[in-house]
């Protein structure tokens, strides 16, 4: 079992771990895509919500509980890390960066959608 299945929540998450959590049907988490709307529309993780970086804190604060498990990904690990730090600084305590982002998710065989 992975760390996520055992209940440990880490600042970075591997695509395979997140995929396992989805497959096990674990509740109470949100996947956030911080890329541009255009990138999101071209393809994103199934079920991910678009919260572009420039709207991130404002929209997250009004739509997500601060203690909710949040997995965040962007165009790069640097963008994901920056967005995760922004959320943590805004009081969100359980934020994890999806290492490798959308491309790592696709490589792991994760489910995707296009708008």
């Amino acid at each position: 079992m992975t760390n996520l299945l055992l209940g440990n929540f880490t600042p970075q998450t591997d695509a395979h771990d997140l995929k396992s959590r989805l497959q096990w049907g674990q509740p109470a988490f949100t996947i956030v895509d911080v890329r541009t709307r255009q990138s999101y529309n071209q393809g994103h993780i199934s079920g991910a919500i678009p919260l572009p970086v420039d709207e991130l804190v404002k929209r997250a604060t009004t739509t997500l509980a601060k203690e909710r498990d949040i997995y965040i990904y962007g165009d790069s690990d640097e963008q994901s890390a920056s967005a995760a730090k922004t959320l943590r600084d805004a009081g969100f305590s359980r934020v994890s960066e999806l290492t490798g982002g959308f491309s790592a998710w696709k490589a792991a065989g994760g489910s995707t959608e296009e708008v």
Side-chain angles (χ1 to χ4, degrees):
M1 289 192 133
T2 66
N3 285 339
L4 294 175
L5 297 177
L6 296 173
N8 297 331
F9 197 79
T10 58
Q12 284 90 26
T13 300
D14 176 87
H16 294 284
D17 287 341
L18 180 56
K19 186 177 170 201
S20 293
R21 186 168 180 188
L22 280 169
Q23 289 171 336
W24 279 89
Q26 292 187 353
F29 69 91
T30 301
I31 302 171
V32 173
D33 185 324
V34 297
R35 301 174 304 153
T36 65
R37 176 60 81 170
Q38 180 180 4
S39 293
Y40 177 86
N41 289 346
Q42 290 173 351
H44 56 271
I45 295 173
S46 295
I49 60 170
L51 295 178
V53 173
D54 59 342
E55 304 171 14
L56 183 60
V57 172
K58 178 182 172 194
R59 291 190 51 208
T61 302
T62 60
T63 58
L64 300 173
K66 292 203 173 186
E67 58 282 340
R68 186 170 185 85
D69 291 358
I70 299 171
Y71 296 92
I72 197 161
Y73 71 97
D75 285 320
S76 65
D77 286 344
E78 293 77 18
Q79 184 184 39
S80 299
S82 176
K85 181 183 181 325
T86 299
L87 281 184
R88 289 182 195 116
D89 289 349
F92 290 87
S93 58
R94 298 180 61 84
V95 180
S96 187
E97 305 149 29
L98 178 61
T99 54
F102 188 58
S103 58
W105 179 257
K106 290 192 302 186
S111 179
T112 63
E113 299 175 327
E114 292 178 15
V115 176

